[in-house]
Amino acid sequence: MTDGDTYGYNLRTIEHRYFFVEKFYKTDFKKITPKAPMGTRVFDLTQILGAEEIPEVDELSEILKDKSWS
């Protein structure tokens, strides 16, 4: 938290989400509409995939290469 202070992040009183992973996988989940998004985006992967179960991360990274968002 102290390190975040030096970069202007308030990690003490503003709610944050953290995702801890063992490995990162390269993907390309493209935004298809112009202009930068306003604010934070959190995606419901079950809705994007049209399935109740989310596959393993390596498979998910491949599937998202064929998906887009707006």
Side-chain angles (χ1 to χ4, degrees):
M1 286 191 220
T2 303
D3 191 45
D5 292 340
T6 60
Y7 296 99
Y9 296 107
N10 180 349
L11 301 177
R12 290 176 175 76
T13 60
I14 297 175
E15 184 178 332
H16 291 78
R17 291 182 182 194
Y18 298 92
F19 299 92
F20 298 94
V21 298
E22 292 182 27
K23 181 178 177 182
F24 287 96
Y25 293 88
K26 189 172 184 174
T27 191
D28 191 13
F29 185 39
K30 293 182 182 180
K31 181 178 183 297
I32 58 171
T33 53
K35 300 185 182 176
M38 298 291 285
T40 303
R41 294 290 179 261
V42 177
F43 299 97
D44 180 349
L45 291 175
T46 60
Q47 186 178 39
I48 291 167
L49 301 175
E52 290 297 316
E53 298 292 321
I54 297 173
E56 293 295 321
V57 180
D58 57 339
E59 184 180 347
L60 176 60
S61 68
E62 290 299 318
I63 293 169
L64 288 177
K65 289 179 182 178
D66 295 327
K67 303 285 183 185
S68 60
W69 66 282
S70 55

